[in-house]
Amino acid sequence: MKLVLLACLAALAVAAPQFENAIPVLILRDDRVDNGDGNFNYAFESDDGIAIEASGSSGSVGQSNIQGTIRFILPDGTPADLTYVADENGYQPQGALLPTPHPLPAHAQEQLLIADEQRAAGITFDQRGFRVNRK
């Protein structure tokens, strides 16, 4: 039993994170205001290019509405920005790094245009895909 305990402690010591070559990061800005009523602001910035700002308020349905910005530097040195709103409509991020859907092929775009034209003309279809004739 002592041998198992000793082996576990040795494994834990070997698995401990090594911070010998870690570069310290300086905090350049850390501003926080919390009014205690759901309204708050905070801003954080470090010397490695990370900056986070957010402000929040109480929502109409009891949720917290938050809007903010996150900035950081990519490994190639390019700055990246992400803005977001989180409210009763959910989390809505915006930024160039977010994935976007592939564009629809031309034939799919054409089918959508045809469907729009049919709806505008009052043409409807049943659950099985057959056209409903209205007189």
Side-chain angles (χ1 to χ4, degrees):
M1 180 68 175
K2 291 180 184 179
L3 183 60
V4 171
L5 182 60
L6 184 61
C8 289
L9 289 174
L12 186 62
V14 171
Q18 305 297 317
F19 296 108
E20 295 169 5
N21 297 327
I23 301 171
V25 176
L26 298 176
I27 304 303
L28 303 176
R29 180 178 176 200
D30 187 359
D31 299 329
R32 304 175 206 195
V33 175
D34 187 352
N35 298 335
D37 60 356
N39 296 312
F40 65 89
N41 294 305
Y42 64 83
F44 169 85
E45 187 175 353
S46 62
D47 71 344
D48 63 352
I50 297 173
I52 301 171
E53 296 181 21
S55 60
S57 60
S58 296
S60 60
V61 192
Q63 80 284 355
S64 291
N65 292 339
I66 304 170
Q67 59 184 16
T69 304
I70 301 169
R71 292 181 201 94
F72 56 95
I73 306 298
L74 295 172
D76 66 357
T78 307
D81 291 335
L82 175 74
T83 59
Y84 65 91
V85 173
D87 57 14
E88 61 272 358
N89 297 318
Y91 178 68
Q92 305 149 43
Q94 294 180 345
L97 291 177
L98 296 174
T100 57
H102 293 285
L104 290 175
H107 71 277
Q109 291 176 356
E110 184 179 344
Q111 289 173 340
L112 290 172
L113 289 174
I114 291 170
D116 287 340
E117 291 171 1
Q118 289 175 337
R119 272 190 228 99
I123 300 170
T124 58
F125 296 88
D126 65 13
Q127 294 294 334
R128 296 181 296 168
F130 293 104
R131 183 174 173 170
V132 176
N133 292 324
R134 296 190 180 175
K135 294 182 181 183

